[in-house]
Amino acid sequence: MRTVLVSGAGIAGPTLAFWLARHGFQPTVVERATGQRSSGNPVDVRGPAVEVAAQMRILTTLREAATGVTAVRFVDRHGHRSSPVTPPSGSPGDFEILRTDLAAILHEATRHDAQFIFDDTVTAMAADEAGVDVTFERTAPRRFDLVVGADGLHSTVRRLAFGDHLIRHLGVYVGGLPLGEEVDHPGEVLLYNTPGRLIAVHPGRGEAMLGFFFRRAEVPDFDHRDPSQHRHLIIEAYGEDHSWRVPEFLTRVREAPDLYFDSVSEVDLPSWSRGRVTLLGDAAASVSLFGDGSTMAMVGAHTLAESLATHTPEAALRHYESEHRRRTDSRRRTARLSAALLIPRTAPGIATRNAAARLLSRA
Ligand SMILES: Cc1cc2nc3c(=O)[nH]c(=O)nc-3n(C[C@H](O)[C@H](O)[C@H](O)COP(=O)(O)OP(=O)(O)OC[C@H]3O[C@@H](n4cnc5c(N)ncnc54)[C@H](O)[C@@H]3O)c2cc1C
């Protein structure tokens, strides 16, 4: 087996292509976006992903691009800020980085060893025992020995190989956009909570970003590609709140040209592989916003490449899934707890969370 098509040049895709090339495979990466995707949300590179980055010799570059965030401040309705609270950290080597920066550095580390095709997508796949015939929107059809869907929560490869309706809404929606201003404290995130709602102001890397996280039952006709529906949902969730800078932030939402918005969801699949098609990263097991999504994307990619290099294809896919599913399953449980801590449902819940965070603060 030699040729591998990887759909998605986010976090998992380029990491997989890097390691496949190291093991003598010929990876091709197809990415729907024309360049890097606009979601600049912060992600964490933790524990085992730090180790993977070190082996790729990109750890220094990644650390230089880290956000440097070390603390949060709670903001009340009048705009009063608490003193900084430093959450207990994971391992000492962990760091936070903007997703776009991480994806760009991974792409740079891989681009000479893999073929990257931007502005294209898989449209059809016909698999047999030895490979997959793939049709693209723009590129001519090609046959690959293996296809890997690393194309995120709304994976096209997953839809084509496994069908629709395989993600489950976890009761939270998230929106994000650039705030376009510098912040007073570049190492701190501001958290403004009301019951079931959070607004986060993240310092980014010089230009702050706004995040809206709110609890809401599943919107029946939700469309992750419909910006006018997204604007409506955010304004509906926060429109009654006239405190702090909320009305000004909603004006930004109304005017934003590039609003990110999605449902916080988990993927529900009994198996990640079907013949010569497999899934990786958020496409396989979204551990979503509050967990270790990027860490799991990098570590899963490394595990998959190592498995393919040392087993027959069928055994490799089984080995990859049994190794990596254990990690993602345990992270999914933590992700639910993190959601409860970030978006308490009640005013007493917010007060208790803030008091506990101050108590546990390392500052
Ligand atoms: C607001 C927000 C906050 C987050 N916070 C954190 C955090 O604090 N910590 C953390 O670890 N994680 C966090 N995450 C999750 C993290 O971003 C993901 O888990 C991680 O990016 C998953 O990597 P991936 O490569 O699987 O998918 P992605 O990074 O989503 O990459 C998928 C790629 O596939 C491309 N694509 C999609 N469809 C197609 C197609 N049909 N054909 C070709 N390409 C396609 C996309 O354009 C994209 O480039 C957060 C996510 C969001 C949205």
Side-chain angles (χ1 to χ4, degrees):
M1 193 183 88
R2 292 271 67 93
T3 55
V4 181
L5 176 68
V6 182
S7 175
I11 310 306
T15 310
L16 176 66
F18 178 96
W19 288 107
L20 287 175
R22 279 291 163 96
H23 289 298
F25 295 92
Q26 291 166 18
T28 300
V29 184
V30 59
E31 163 61 50
R32 179 152 54 192
T34 44
Q36 290 299 340
R37 208 175 59 158
S38 65
S39 167
N41 59 272
V43 299
D44 302 294
V45 179
R46 293 181 181 153
V50 174
E51 183 56 33
V52 171
Q55 290 174 26
M56 293 171 78
R57 300 185 186 278
I58 56 170
L59 192 53
T60 307
T61 315
L62 289 178
R63 283 198 197 288
E64 282 166 6
T67 63
V69 164
T70 54
V72 300
R73 284 181 197 253
F74 303 118
V75 182
D76 70 15
R77 285 183 181 275
H78 309 288
H80 298 140
R81 299 178 186 189
S82 72
S83 48
V85 170
T86 319
S89 63
S91 314
D94 297 354
F95 57 93
E96 185 192 71
I97 183 168
L98 299 186
R99 182 196 164 283
T100 39
D101 290 340
L102 176 57
I105 292 167
L106 289 166
H107 172 240
E108 183 58 32
T110 314
R111 69 190 178 92
H112 298 297
D113 301 318
Q115 182 192 8
F116 278 81
I117 304 169
F118 284 93
D119 194 17
D120 206 351
T121 178
V122 172
T123 52
M125 299 189 299
D128 55 45
E129 281 186 3
V132 190
D133 291 311
V134 180
T135 310
F136 299 91
E137 204 166 84
R138 296 167 185 276
T139 309
R142 272 166 72 181
R143 183 172 172 83
F144 296 89
D145 298 331
L146 177 73
V147 173
V148 181
D151 42 2
L153 180 62
H154 303 283
S155 168
T156 297
V157 168
R158 189 186 62 227
R159 179 173 53 75
L160 293 172
F162 295 85
D164 270 330
H165 309 299
L166 294 165
I167 59 176
R168 189 168 42 226
H169 177 64
L170 292 177
V172 173
Y173 285 92
V174 56
L177 66 155
L179 181 55
E181 64 184 49
E182 284 185 28
V183 293
D184 322 335
H185 300 282
E188 295 174 3
V189 179
L190 300 180
L191 298 181
Y192 169 81
N193 277 96
T194 52
R197 314 253 178 281
L198 164 68
I199 296 179
V201 178
H202 190 284
R205 293 249 298 156
E207 283 224 328
M209 299 174 308
L210 261 180
F212 296 88
F213 302 78
F214 57 95
R215 295 183 181 277
R216 195 189 195 290
E218 186 165 17
V219 177
D221 57 349
F222 178 67
D223 180 352
H224 72 278
R225 282 167 299 205
D226 180 356
S228 59
Q229 184 190 44
H230 303 162
R231 284 194 180 83
H232 171 77
L233 288 171
I234 296 179
I235 290 161
E236 186 185 69
Y238 295 87
E240 303 285 297
D241 187 349
H242 301 287
S243 310
W244 190 42
R245 297 177 63 185
V246 179
E248 175 202 335
F249 291 159
L250 293 185
T251 302
R252 303 280 183 136
V253 169
R254 285 188 193 92
E255 295 168 354
D258 55 349
L259 178 69
Y260 168 84
F261 193 87
D262 212 339
S263 136
V264 176
S265 304
E266 66 181 4
V267 181
D268 210 5
L269 269 183
S271 165
W272 293 344
S273 301
R274 186 158 283 181
R276 290 294 182 97
V277 179
T278 194
L279 301 171
L280 175 66
D282 277 8
S286 172
V287 286
S288 225
L289 311 192
F290 311 115
D292 280 331
S294 48
T295 290
M296 286 299 100
M298 291 176 71
V299 174
H302 182 259
T303 303
L304 176 56
E306 293 292 313
S307 302
L308 289 166
T310 50
H311 295 71
T312 62
E314 292 70 25
L317 297 180
R318 281 198 304 275
H319 181 259
Y320 150 64
E321 182 161 343
S322 71
E323 284 285 297
H324 195 54
R325 214 183 243 280
R326 279 188 285 118
R327 302 180 188 125
T328 57
D329 280 355
S330 65
R331 258 76 174 192
R332 264 148 75 134
R333 289 190 281 277
T334 323
R336 285 172 195 274
L337 176 66
S338 306
L341 288 173
L342 267 181
I343 323 167
R345 294 170 191 276
T346 62
I350 296 169
T352 308
R353 189 275 314 264
N354 293 1
R358 276 187 212 104
L359 213 65
L360 294 171
S361 175
R362 287 183 284 122

